[in-house]
């Protein structure tokens, strides 16, 4: 008797800079625990990284770093398919077809597009506007059941669901409508200097984001200088966004509840609380960084992972693409 196939997860990160604690807590940390239960596709979405200004050599460096960090975070390449979006034919092809089913108004309404395009001096290219359609193509090309992401990607996921439904309605049932999977703890890690904004790879001030490869000294310095308030009480409250963010990080990294942390640190003062958080982060990231340093040196291994990942992904991608082309009325190649 054949086994029922596992449900499929697909999710990825852009190699547009060094991965942050936000990427880890909101996303990658949770992917590693899904390997047994799901068939997992983890593209590194390098085509998305060129929608804003970039330096080609940096993109290549960040792509290798991202790959080694995926693996160091526990994404076992034996149990998942890790690949580069640019190495699989189908993402951009499907994206074109889906873009012909997507009203431009929907793309203009995307919060991430509005944020990025309104930055002073931003050059707004068509790729930035079409970014969410390419993301929908990434997901639908593999018929993903679930997409684990941080909260900032919720709107893009909603759009991917609408696009899938529109395609199914226009042609005929083809795509699964993917479900978002957003973690309870760590879904939105905020900037350490401005807790009204999410922590991001592209933050200009280095004090805003903890990078996964930061040294222990840098981690402690960033946590100790994180913006708080003039009060002294360690408590989760809307009027204390800086402390709320630190509590959220502490809880996500240790698995302890916020109430438990409030009980321990409520009256201890911000200095003690921040130092304890820095200790926890440093201890948590140390084994990861050690693994990373070994992996990043081994380019033969990394190329092998990408080759295997791309082979599996390509076979799936061609299968979906053939079906989509047929439904859309294109003549099959003889
Ligand atoms: P990217 O590279 O910006 O982020 C990768 C993942 O990290 C999550 N994340 C956060 N979570 C919590 N707090 C934060 N401050 C934080 N910052 C980032 C993101 O939600 C994401 O899960 N558009 C995607 C890349 C993408 C994709 C896809 C994802 C392209 N195609 C298909 C899933 C499926 C992005 O911007 O990732």
């Amino acid at each position: 008797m054949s086994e029922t196939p596992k449900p499929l997860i697909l999710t990825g990160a852009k190699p547009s800079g060094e991965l942050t604690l936000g990427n880890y807590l909101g996303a990658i940390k949770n992917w590693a625990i899904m390997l047994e239960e799901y068939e997992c596709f983890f593209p590194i979405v390098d085509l998305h990284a060129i929608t804003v200004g970039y330096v080609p050599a940096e993109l290549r460096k960040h792509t290798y770093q991202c790959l080694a960090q995926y693996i160091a975070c526990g994404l076992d390449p034996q149990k998942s398919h890790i690949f580069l979006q640019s190495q699989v034919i189908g993402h951009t092809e499907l994206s074109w077809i889906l873009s012909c089913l997507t009203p431009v108004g929907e793309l203009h309404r995307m919060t991430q597009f509005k944020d990025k395009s309104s930055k002073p001096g931003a050059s707004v290219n068509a790729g930035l506007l079409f970014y969410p359609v390419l993301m929908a193509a990434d997901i639908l090309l593999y018929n993903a059941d679930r997409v684990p992401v941080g909260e900032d990607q919720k709107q893009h996921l909603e759009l991917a669901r609408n696009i899938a439904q529109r395609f199914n309605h226009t042609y005929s049932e083809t795509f699964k409508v993917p479900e978002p999977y957003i973690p309870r703890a760590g879904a939105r890690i905020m900037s350490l200097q401005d807790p009204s904004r999410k922590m991001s790879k592209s933050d200009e001030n280095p004090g805003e984001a903890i990078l996964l490869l930061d040294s222990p000294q840098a981690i402690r310095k960033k946590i100790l200088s994180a913006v708080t308030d003039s009060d002294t009480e360690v408590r989760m409250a809307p009027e204390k966004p800086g402390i709320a963010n630190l509590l959220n990080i502490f809880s996500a990294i240790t698995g302890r509840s916020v109430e438990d942390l409030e009980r321990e640190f409520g009256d201890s003062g911000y200095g003690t609380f921040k130092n304890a958080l820095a200790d926890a982060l440093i201890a948590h990231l140390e084994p990861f960084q050690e693994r990373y340093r070994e992996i990043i040196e081994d380019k033969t291994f990394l190329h092998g992972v990408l080759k295997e990942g791309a082979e599996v992904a390509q076979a799936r991608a061609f299968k979906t693409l053939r079906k989509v082309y047929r439904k859309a009325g294109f003549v099959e190649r003889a």
Side-chain angles (χ1 to χ4, degrees), residues 18-77:
E18 287 202 25
L19 293 180
T20 70
L21 189 64
N23 297 130
Y24 177 66
L25 294 178
I28 302 170
K29 177 171 180 270
N30 312 302
W31 306 346
I33 53 180
M34 298 174 169
L35 300 176
E36 305 297 338
E37 218 181 314
Y38 295 90
E39 178 169 24
C40 296
F41 284 74
F42 298 125
I44 294 173
V45 289
D46 46 3
L47 296 170
H48 277 101
I50 67 167
T51 51
V52 290
Y54 78 104
V55 177
E58 290 280 298
L59 174 62
R60 204 168 291 121
K61 183 179 98 185
H62 288 140
T63 303
Y64 280 119
Q65 281 187 338
C66 185
L67 171 61
Q69 290 187 53
Y70 269 15
I71 300 168
C73 282
L75 303 188
D76 181 348

Side-chain angles (χ1 to χ4, degrees), residues 118-131:
S118 64
K119 277 196 179 157
S123 78
V124 184
N125 60 62
L128 190 62
L129 183 66
F130 280 78
Y131 177 117

Side-chain angles (χ1 to χ4, degrees), residues 1 4 32 42 72 95 112 120 134 186 247 264:
M1 213 165 61
T4 337
F42 298 125
S95 173
Q112 192 167 299
L134 179 58
L247 274 168
E264 180 173 348

